[in-house]
Structure formats: structure tokens, C-alpha cells
């Protein structure tokens, strides 16, 4: 696909949303002008926009994927710089949600913008028809709504609303740019209140809060039910409102209610909650205030999570929830949850019955089909399953029957699904959804989108075991898919790598390593290693280190190209896959690092020597034996993790030639294209030789370690670990290096250092702590 014709963008409104939108557009490589008002008496007339950029550079999570992206933003103001809108291809309005202010701004924009430039509003509440009412036809033709979700970098949903006069070309240009360059999942919405995600999401939140209070559930109990058991993030309802801000909820509620007819089901479930009104008045507005439904008590130097008793207003340490309905759900699924008669089951049914039936009543009013609605809730609220997928998990007929038993109305679309195969089905290898005309339609993927899930519906794997599978993804390319928890690497995964080395050369020409889980790989299976260490099965660990080195080296020198396609975590052994591959096509949200030092060991599957080789080969880095060693030592010794693919490139985990894909759904197709490009004239790489500094280099690193110790930056066991790392990177303990060191020599050093460290009690304590808590132990 050719790149959309968006090179310069203006964002007007430098608040949280406007500045976040500007940052993400800058992440994508476009030049951005960020404008806001001139404060009274300001010495810097651009201080609102400039201050927003400065705050974002310090924010965590970071709006920028790399600090260099901030340089693409020019701060300005709407008094001095409005004429510069003539240079922009796209103008995004993100000012206060007042119709009069927006329309006044549109008139000023229209007076200076270039003919054919596109204008959009980030409104979440105002109808498009009202926004363009009274404005010239030429403006309305270039106008649409692009509703981003907060934070714009991380939330994948973009709701797009067009008017009767909006040019098709204007819509298509923005959709293409947002999809391909910003990585957004596009949902086309009708011009109705709340559009799609907030229409259903606000209903769900209101219903869940009121039902919990009416039924006497604690906030912990409500969140335990309204979270992972139904496929919603662990924040559930109350913790999510804390995150968004309690003070925002009344405004969202009022705006939606004011724009909906009295006959809408939302009007029947909403009401003012006195406890919440009192919390807001007292400054308990959530994470940004003194606390909310939860708070973090730091008295006495401790950090204790506390939950609010909604009857008394008192806080107490948050309690773990034990309900029979949750256990039933874990064992037997969603239907078992909503059918259970304890308070958790009754609460789940009370909320889901109303919310899911409401969603079913809104199609095609709010969007053309159920698939658009499901995607909106998945991408905008991070639900694992959209409302119609949730109904299918209960069973469309079972859901309808249970509604009828409760004397609740059954939406027409639900009646149709209950009488057929549900809302979704697989037919002739294609995923289909039920349409409003009763027919089933294939889910159409945009050009350039290939999903492994679609391939899996219509084919069988070339090979499989308990941890990994090989798939033919067409055009002579094989995909290696890891399927373990967090896609960790175990002996079965290593065995499948070896199998791929035999299968690919026979009838195929390239290998892509990819999966559609949340994470590429969190590294080696720590539980397996800890079990072997605790039972003194050292030969088992020796074998796993050796097999890993063998498999990764074989991938590197395979007679065909290997392309790794990470998304999410690529840590430890997952990072080492990237380093061993011929090329990487990374999702922009890839978090990459060699983190082994954090659990008390050094990389053992080639990570040390590969990162060393990257730095040594980089023409932009200083020459000589010491600079590559120092760079690798700092990155590995401090367990640095890149927080984006761009940072991974800066740290040397990605080459400058490696690709970055913004849209997660385009990653496999992009990786496959890269693999085919390499396969056209492929020869394996030549083995590198390393010129290492030996004892003098070790001494220099020792001085750095001593300095860190004096500053209190390293623990006693950190010293042991980084000392072993220094041995590896400088050529070995006490080495007096006069000849180049081979790749195999460095692998042996990695192996020996790993085995020395894994046998220490301090490392075993770190591994166990990390496995249990997910956080490193500082010992």
C-alpha cells in the first residue's frame, strides 16, 4: 500500500487528549503543529502547547514512542499561528465540548485552511450534524469526526463518523492514515449519541455501579466479578472509574442522557448516587485525587492498597474475594457464572443481562453490524470479547431464554441469533456474523491484513506439540507460533524450532516467528528452570541452555531467512530470538530487553554475543574493542527494557533496517513480505569474530561497578551478576585476549556464567520471587 497523503497535521487544543493525539501523530513520523490559547499576561504566548509537550516528555506511560518524536511537534497559539493551517493536510479540533466554541473555531479555520484539507473533531458527545450546521457546504464536505480514546498512543480504537456531505475521499484518506500509520482499529459509527463504545460502555458502568450498591457488594467483590471472569481487564468497574476520574462520570452521564430519548433503556437504569457525589465533593476523585473507590495508603513507609466501604465511607485493606460463582466460572465458563445463585452470580446476571440486551437493541442504530460493535468494545474498553461474542459464550438461546424467564424484553436481533447458529459461526473456514437481514456474512479483512487466526480456521498445522505449532501462511512462508503461557520458551518450543529447520527447506523458502497472543515471549520458562534448580537437576538446566544455544544458532545460520515479528513483551529468551533472526518486523508497541540480570543470571542463549556484535558493527558507534563492550554491559547489566520498537532500535535490539508496523493486525503480512524479500536472493550470514579487551576491559568495568556500589545503585548479588557479565563480554575470567574470539567461545562463556550464577541461593531467591510476584527481588 502507498502511504496516505498526510504529512503535516495541526491539532488545536493542547489538553490531555489534544496533546496525546499530537504526540501519537508525531510518533508516526508526521510533522505536527499543536495550538492552544494565549493565557492572559503570559510571557511565552505558546506556553500552553509548549508546556503540554514538556509534560508529555516526563509522563509515564509515555505518550511518545521515542523522545525524538517530540521534535516533530511545533508549539503555537491560535492568535498568532492560525494562518499556518494553510500548510496542513489534516486539522484536528480537540477543544472544550461546547458547540458555540467549536463552531466559532471552525469559521476561523475555514478562512485560512487550504482547499481540500481535511478537518475533524475529536468530540465524544456532540453530533456531527450540529457541528456543521450553518457552515459552508465546502467545509462540511471536508469534515468528519475522529474520536480517539485516551491515551491515544495505547488505545487502538478510532471511531469515525461522517455526515451526508462528507467526501468519500476525505474519509478514506483519514481512515488509511489512521489505520496504517497510527495503528488504529477503525469503527465506522452512525451519528448517534455516544457513538458506539461510550454508548455501551457508559451503560455498563452505570448499571454495574448501581447494581453493586443496591445488592450490597463490596467494591472488591464487584470488580472481581466484572473483570477477568467476563473477559474485562482486572480493573473491573470501580478501579476503572478511579483511573478515569470519578468527577468525569457525572458529566458523561448527563451528556448522554440529555441526548437520548426518554424511551432509551439508559434513562431507566441511571440515577444519581449520593455516595459518589459526596466523594467528589470531598476530593476523592480517583487516582488523581485523594483516592477513590481504592486508595494507596503510604503511612509508615508501606504501600497498602485499601478499598472504600460504600456504606460507611471508611477505608480498609483491600480483601481477596472468594465466591463460589467465580470458581464455577473458572471451571465451566460464563454460563456457569450467570446461572450461579450466590451474590456474585446474581450480580453478574443483573449487569450482563441488561448491558448485552441493550447492545443487541442498538444494531443497526449505532453501527452497521454487530462486528463493528464488538470491535469497538474490544479496542476502546479493552474487553476480550465484545457484547455479541459474550452472548455467544453464554449461548444465544440460553441468554434469550433466561431473559424471557426474567420477563425482560428480547431484542429482535437476539431472537434471530437464538434461532440460528448464534451471532458468529465458522463456515467453510471463514468467520461469519449474523446481519440484520438474517443472513451470515464473512468478516472482511482490509487489504494488507493477514491474521493467523483466519489461517487456523481453514487449515491444519504442518507440525505441532504441546507448546508450539508450524503453519503454512502461503507463498512458501512458514509461521512458527508459540502457544505457552506468556509464550515462554521451553524444550518443546526449542524442539519445534529444530523441526522448522527440517520442514522449511523441503517445500518452503522462509520462516516467520509470530503469534497473536498479548506478548511475543516473556523469555525462558522460569518455573521449569526453578523446579530443576530446587531439585538440583543441574543436568536438566545444562541441557536446556545447550539446546537453546543450538536452536538459536541454527536459526541464525539456516539456509532460509528467519524474520521475527514481536508485539508486546520480547524479554530474555524472547529478545534473543530477535537478535538471532535475519530481520525483525516489530509492532510499534514492542517492549524488548535482555532482563536476565534481574533474576540473577546472564543471557545464556546468545544474547550477550549478539548484542555485542550489533554494537561492534554499528558504523555510528565509536570503534575499538571497548565501546561495544561498554554499551552491551550497560544495557544487559541494568536490564534495560525498550518501551517501544523505536527505543529498541536505539538500544541495538533492532537494526536500522528492521521494520516497524503500527497496526497490530498488519504485522504478520508485513513480516511475511519482509521474509519473501529476503528469500529472493538469500545467503546465510558469515560468523562474526570478536575483538575483546580482556583483563584491561574487565578492570575498566570493575571501576564502573565500584562506582555504582558507592552510590548505592547495586546490591551485593547485583555485583556478583554484573561481574560474571563483565567476564563474558571481555573474553573470560582473567583473560589476556590477543586473538579474535569466536562466536562459539562467547557462547561457552555465556553457558558457564549462567550455570555458575543459577547455582547460587541468591539467584534462586530472585527467580522464585519473580515467578510469584512478577517483580525482581533486590538482594
Amino acid at each position: 500500500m502507498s502511504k496516505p497523503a498526510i504529512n503535516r497535521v495541526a491539532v488545536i487544543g493542547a489538553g490531555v487528549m489534544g496533546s496525546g493525539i499530537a504526540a501519537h501523530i508525531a510518533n508516526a513520523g508526521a510533522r505536527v503543529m499543536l495550538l492552544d490559547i494565549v493565557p492572559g499576561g503570559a510571557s511565552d504566548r505558546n506556553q500552553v502547547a509548549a508546556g503540554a509537550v514538556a509534560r508529555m516528555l516526563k509522563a509515564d506511560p509515555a505518550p511518545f514512542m521515542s523522545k525524538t518524536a517530540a521534535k516533530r511537534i511545533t508549539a503555537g497559539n491560535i492568535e498568532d499561528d492560525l494562518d499556518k493551517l494553510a500548510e496542513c493536510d489534516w486539522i484536528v479540533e480537540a477543544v472544550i465540548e461546547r458547540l458555540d466554541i467549536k463552531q466559532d473555531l471552525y469559521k476561523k479555520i475555514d478562512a485560512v485552511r487550504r482547499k481540500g484539507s481535511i478537518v475533524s473533531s475529536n468530540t465524544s458527545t456532540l453530533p456531527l450534524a450540529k457541528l456543521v450546521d450553518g457552515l459552508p457546504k465546502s467545509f462540511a464536505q471536508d469534515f468528519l469526526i475522529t474520536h480517539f480514546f485516551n491515551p491515544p498512543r495505547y488505545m487502538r480504537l478510532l471511531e469515525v463518523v461522517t455526515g451526508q456531505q462528507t467526501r468519500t475521499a476525505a474519509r478514506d484518506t483519514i481512515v488509511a492514515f489512521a489505520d496504517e500509520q497510527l495503528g488504529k482499529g477503525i469503527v465506522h459509527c452512525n451519528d448517534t449519541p455516544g457513538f458506539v463504545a461510550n454508548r455501551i460502555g457508559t451503560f455498563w458502568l452505570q448499571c454495574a455501579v448501581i447494581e453493586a450498591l443496591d445488592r450490597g457488594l463490596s467494591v472488591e467483590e464487584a470488580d472481581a466479578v466484572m473483570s477477568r471472569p467476563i473477559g474485562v481487564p482486572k480493573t473491573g468497574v470501580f478501579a476503572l472509574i478511579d483511573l478515569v476520574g470519578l468527577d468525569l462520570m457525572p458529566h458523561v452521564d448527563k451528556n448522554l442522557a440529555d441526548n437520548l430519548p426518554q424511551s432509551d433503556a439508559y434513562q431507566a437504569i441511571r440515577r444519581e448516587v449520593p455516595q459518589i457525589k459526596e466523594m467528589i465533593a470531598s476530593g476523592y476523585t480517583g487516582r488523581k485525587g485523594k483516592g477513590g473507590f481504592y486508595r494507596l495508603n503510604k503511612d509508615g513507609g508501606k504501600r497498602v492498597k485499601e478499598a472504600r466501604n460504600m456504606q460507611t465511607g471508611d477505608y480498609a485493606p483491600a480483601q481477596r474475594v472468594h465466591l463460589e460463582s467465580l470458581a464455577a466460572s473458572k471451571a465451566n465458563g460464563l454460563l456457569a457464572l450467570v446461572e450461579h445463585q450466590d451474590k456474585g452470580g446474581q450480580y453478574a446476571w443483573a449487569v450482563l443481562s441488561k448491558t448485552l440486551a441493550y447492545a443487541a437493541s442498538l444494531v443497526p442504530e449505532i453501527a452497521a453490524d454487530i462486528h463493528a460493535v464488538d470491535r469497538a468494545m474490544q479496542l476502546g474498553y479493552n474487553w476480550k470479547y465484545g457484547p455479541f461474542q459474550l452472548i455467544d459464550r453464554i449461548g444465544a438461546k440460553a441468554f434469550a431464554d433466561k431473559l424471557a424467564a426474567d420477563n425482560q424484553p428480547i431484542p429482535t436481533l437476539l431472537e434471530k441469533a437464538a434461532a440460528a447458529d448464534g451471532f458468529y459461526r465458522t463456515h467453510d473456514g471463514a468467520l461469519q456474523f449474523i446481519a440484520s437481514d438474517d443472513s451470515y456474512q464473512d468478516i472482511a479483512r482490509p487489504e494488507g491484513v493477514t491474521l493467523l487466526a483466519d489461517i487456523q480456521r481453514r487449515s491444519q498445522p504442518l507440525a505441532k506439540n504441546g507448546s508450539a505449532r508450524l503453519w503454512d501462511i502461503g507463498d512458501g512462508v512458514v509461521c512458527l507460533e508459540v502457544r505457552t503461557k506468556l509464550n515462554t520458551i521451553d524444550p518443546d518450543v526449542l524442539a519445534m524450532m529444530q523441526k522448522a529447520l527440517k520442514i522449511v527447506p523441503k517445500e518452503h523458502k522462509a520462516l516467520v516467528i509470530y503469534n497473536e497472543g498479548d506478548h511475543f515471549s516473556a523469555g525462558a520458562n522460569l518455573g521449569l528452570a526453578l523446579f530443576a534448580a530446587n531439585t538440583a537437576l543441574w543436568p536438566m538446566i545444562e541441557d536446556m541452555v545447550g539446546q537453546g544455544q543450538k536452536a538459536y544458532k541454527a536459526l541464525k545460520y539456516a539456509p532460509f531467512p528467519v524474520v521475527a515479528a514481536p508485539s508486546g513483551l520480547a524479554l530474555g529468551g524472547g529478545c534473543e530470538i530477535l537478535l538471532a533472526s535475519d530481520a525483525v518486523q516489530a509492532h510499534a508497541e514492542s517492549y524488548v530487553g535482555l532482563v536476565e540480570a534481574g533474576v540473577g543470571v546472564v543471557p545464556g542463549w546468545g544474547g550477550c554475543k549478539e548484542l555485542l556484535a550489533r554494537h561492534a558493527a554499528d558504523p555510528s558507534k565509536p570503534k575499538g574493542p571497548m565501546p561495544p563492550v561498554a554499551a552491551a554491559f550497560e544495557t544487559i547489566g541494568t536490564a534495560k527494557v525498550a518501551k517501544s520498537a523505536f527505543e529498541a532500535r536505539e538500544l541495538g535490539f533492532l537494526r536500522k533496517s528492521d521494520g516497524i508496523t503500527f497496526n497490530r493486525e498488519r504485522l504478520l503480512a508485513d513480516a511475511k513480505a519482509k521474509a519473501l524479500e529476503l528469500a529472493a536472493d538469500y545467503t546465510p550470514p558469515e560468523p562474526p569474530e570478536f575483538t575483546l579487551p580482556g583483563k584491561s576491559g574487565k578492570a575498566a568495568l570493575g571501576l564502573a561497578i565500584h562506582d555504582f556500589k558507592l552510590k548505592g545503585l547495586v546490591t551485593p548479588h547485583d555485583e556478583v551478576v554484573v561481574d560474571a557479565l563483565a567476564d563474558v563480554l571481555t573474553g573470560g575470567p582473567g583473560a589476556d585476549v590477543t586473538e579474535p574470539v569466536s562466536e562459539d567461545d562467547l557462547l561457552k562463556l555465556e553457558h558457564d556464567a549462567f550455570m555458575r550464577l543459577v547455582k547460587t541461593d541468591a539467584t534462586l531467591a530472585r527467580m522464585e520471587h519473580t515467578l510469584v510476584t512478577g517483580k525482581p527481588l533486590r538482594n
Side-chain angles (χ1 to χ4, degrees):
M1 276 191 178
S2 59
K3 285 191 175 183
I6 300 289
N7 297 302
R8 288 185 176 272
V9 179
V11 178
I12 305 177
V16 172
M17 282 303 298
S19 59
I21 292 167
H24 194 51
I25 293 172
N27 288 334
R31 296 284 175 183
V32 184
M33 184 165 56
L34 180 62
L35 307 181
D36 210 298
I37 61 170
V38 179
S43 57
D44 178 1
R45 294 174 63 80
N46 301 331
Q47 77 173 47
V48 175
V53 175
R55 284 191 297 274
M56 289 193 294
L57 283 167
K58 299 175 183 176
D60 187 19
F64 292 113
M65 292 181 172
S66 168
K67 292 189 185 301
T68 58
K71 297 176 182 178
R72 300 189 191 103
I73 297 181
T74 301
N77 67 78
I78 57 176
E79 292 183 20
D80 303 329
D81 302 307
L82 216 57
D83 60 327
K84 296 176 183 175
L85 297 182
E87 305 168 5
C88 297
D89 307 305
W90 179 22
I91 302 161
V92 182
E93 170 268 303
V95 302
I96 189 171
E97 290 286 80
R98 275 181 49 184
L99 182 61
D100 58 333
I101 291 176
K102 289 179 185 289
Q103 285 208 324
D104 182 62
L105 178 62
Y106 296 159
K107 291 171 186 175
K108 294 176 181 177
I109 291 171
D110 200 35
V112 296
R113 73 185 182 100
R114 190 179 69 242
K115 182 180 179 181
S117 63
I118 301 166
V119 183
S120 73
S121 174
N122 185 55
T123 183
S124 59
T125 58
L126 297 172
L128 184 145
K130 288 185 178 180
L131 291 174
V132 298
D133 185 36
L135 291 167
K137 180 180 179 181
S138 58
F139 182 86
Q141 288 176 330
D142 293 334
F143 185 84
L144 65 158
I145 289 172
T146 51
H147 180 215
F148 290 79
F149 279 66
N150 192 34
R153 168 183 165 182
Y154 299 97
M155 299 304 295
R156 291 176 54 203
L157 176 62
L158 182 71
E159 292 181 322
V160 173
V161 182
T162 55
Q164 293 182 349
Q165 299 181 76
T166 307
R167 290 185 297 115
T168 300
R171 178 202 65 194
D172 291 349
T173 297
I174 296 301
V175 165
F177 180 78
D179 170 355
E180 298 169 44
Q181 306 304 113
L182 301 182
K184 296 302 177 184
I186 309 297
V187 170
H188 294 277
C189 308
N190 295 332
D191 193 13
T192 57
F195 310 132
V196 174
N198 283 343
R199 178 80 172 268
I200 295 170
T202 303
F203 184 103
W204 168 67
L205 288 170
Q206 285 282 342
C207 185
V209 168
I210 290 168
E211 289 289 349
L213 296 178
D214 287 352
R215 294 170 182 274
L217 273 75
S218 68
V219 295
E220 302 102 302
E221 288 171 333
D223 282 348
V225 174
M226 277 296 122
S227 55
R228 286 173 174 166
I230 67 168
V232 167
K234 64 181 181 180
T235 48
V237 173
F238 289 101
L240 175 60
I241 296 173
D242 273 356
L243 181 63
V244 173
L246 275 72
D247 54 331
L248 181 64
M249 300 312 294
H251 298 290
V252 173
D253 165 55
K254 183 180 184 304
N255 194 281
L256 188 59
D258 287 350
N259 286 282
L260 289 173
Q262 284 302 310
S263 58
D264 191 89
Y266 182 70
Q267 305 285 12
I269 63 112
R270 67 179 289 265
R271 72 167 188 256
E272 187 175 79
V273 180
Q275 300 100 309
I276 295 178
K277 184 177 181 181
E278 189 263 327
M279 288 173 70
I280 295 170
S282 302
Y284 288 91
T285 54
R287 294 190 187 182
K288 64 185 177 183
K290 295 190 291 185
F293 300 111
Y294 299 93
R295 73 177 183 186
L296 200 59
N297 190 333
K298 300 178 183 178
D299 291 348
K302 296 181 179 179
R303 295 165 61 89
V304 178
K305 182 181 180 182
E306 296 181 335
R308 188 180 180 100
N309 183 311
M310 294 303 292
Q311 278 68 50
T312 67
D314 297 328
Y315 286 92
Q319 301 297 306
R320 292 185 67 86
V321 175
H322 301 283
L323 292 170
E324 289 183 5
S325 53
L326 296 180
S329 171
K330 190 172 184 179
N332 299 304
L334 191 54
L335 180 60
L337 174 65
V338 298
E339 286 188 334
H340 203 283
Q341 290 307 300
D342 75 358
K343 61 181 177 180
Q346 292 183 43
Y347 172 63
W349 173 248
V351 177
L352 291 180
S353 62
K354 294 181 180 69
T355 303
L356 302 184
Y358 184 61
S361 73
L362 294 176
V363 178
E365 176 193 340
I366 61 173
D369 55 62
I370 66 166
H371 182 55
V373 173
D374 279 346
R375 276 179 61 80
M377 296 311 296
Q378 289 173 297
L379 300 178
Y381 276 71
N382 279 334
W383 287 14
K384 186 175 182 180
Y385 311 103
F388 298 98
Q389 293 166 321
L390 283 171
I391 295 174
D392 274 356
R393 292 183 74 79
I394 294 170
K397 187 175 187 308
F399 183 71
D401 289 347
K402 196 163 171 57
L403 285 178
D406 285 355
N407 294 316
Q408 293 191 53
I410 302 172
T412 302
L413 192 58
L414 175 59
E415 287 182 334
K416 294 176 180 179
D421 296 330
F423 285 104
Y424 291 91
R425 72 177 187 183
T426 299
H427 181 70
D428 290 337
L431 182 62
Q432 299 181 324
F433 65 90
I434 196 168
S436 299
D437 63 1
D438 300 357
S439 67
Y440 280 93
Q441 299 179 5
D442 288 354
I443 291 176
R445 308 295 184 195
E447 181 186 351
V449 170
T450 301
L451 297 185
L452 189 58
D454 289 341
I455 294 170
Q456 291 168 342
R457 287 188 188 94
R458 60 177 183 260
S459 63
Q460 294 297 315
L462 299 172
K464 66 177 182 178
N465 60 29
S467 299
R469 297 184 181 183
L470 296 176
W471 298 92
D472 185 338
I473 59 173
D475 301 313
V477 181
V478 173
C479 176
L480 168 59
E481 177 200 23
V482 181
R483 298 170 63 92
T484 57
K485 184 177 181 180
L486 290 177
N487 296 314
T488 52
I489 312 298
D490 63 17
D492 276 352
V493 175
L494 298 175
M496 191 57 67
M497 290 179 182
Q498 296 288 5
K499 189 171 286 271
L501 292 164
K502 297 176 183 177
I503 289 177
V504 174
K506 291 180 180 178
E507 298 180 359
H508 304 85
K509 50 192 175 187
L511 177 70
V512 169
I513 304 176
Y514 165 91
N515 65 71
E516 286 173 359
D518 291 336
H519 302 294
F520 179 73
S521 175
N525 186 324
L526 204 57
L528 187 63
L530 186 61
F531 166 77
N534 281 332
T535 52
L537 293 174
W538 306 119
M540 180 178 173
I541 298 179
E542 291 255 16
D543 183 65
M544 192 167 176
V545 174
Q547 291 300 321
Q549 289 190 350
K550 181 179 178 182
Y552 282 45
K553 186 179 177 184
L555 285 177
K556 180 178 179 179
Y557 296 111
F560 51 82
V562 176
V563 175
S567 178
L569 298 179
L571 304 177
C575 177
E576 287 171 302
I577 290 176
L578 311 190
L579 293 170
S581 299
D582 292 288
V584 176
Q585 185 69 36
H587 182 222
E589 297 296 350
S590 293
Y591 314 121
V592 185
L594 293 170
V595 297
E596 288 86 349
V599 293
V601 292
V602 299
W605 288 342
C608 296
K609 57 102 176 172
E610 289 297 337
L611 191 59
L612 199 56
R614 292 283 177 90
H615 286 299
D618 188 340
S620 67
K621 298 288 176 68
K623 300 305 174 187
M626 197 59 201
V629 168
F633 180 76
E634 180 183 355
T635 300
I636 300 171
T638 57
K640 282 187 179 179
V641 176
K643 294 182 179 179
S644 72
F646 293 95
E647 284 193 5
R649 182 179 281 163
E650 291 166 4
L651 289 174
F653 296 127
L654 302 189
R655 307 172 186 86
K656 288 183 172 60
S657 59
D658 288 331
I660 296 175
T661 298
F662 270 74
N663 193 319
R664 178 69 173 82
E665 294 181 344
R666 295 183 176 276
L667 182 58
L668 180 57
D670 288 352
K672 177 182 172 182
K674 185 173 283 288
L676 289 170
E677 180 184 348
L678 292 173
D681 187 21
Y682 182 73
T683 54
E686 290 294 323
E689 287 189 328
F690 300 87
T691 303
L692 302 178
K695 288 189 291 186
S696 62
K698 174 68 183 295
L701 296 180
L703 290 174
I705 296 169
H706 182 68
D707 185 50
F708 287 148
K709 181 181 178 181
L710 292 176
K711 293 177 180 178
L713 299 177
V714 294
T715 66
H717 194 54
D718 285 337
E719 283 189 79
V720 175
V721 175
V722 295
D723 185 72
L725 175 63
D727 282 337
V728 174
L729 296 175
T730 57
D736 188 7
V737 182
T738 58
E739 299 292 333
V741 176
S742 73
E743 189 172 35
D744 286 340
D745 290 336
L746 267 175
L747 284 172
K748 177 68 164 56
L749 290 173
E750 285 189 26
H751 168 277
D752 292 348
F754 184 97
M755 291 307 302
R756 284 199 312 275
L757 291 167
V758 82
K759 292 178 181 179
T760 63
D761 291 340
T763 286
L764 295 183
R766 283 193 180 190
M767 293 173 72
E768 184 171 7
H769 187 270
T770 302
L771 196 62
V772 172
T773 68
K775 299 176 182 178
L777 175 67
R778 301 288 293 163
N779 61 344

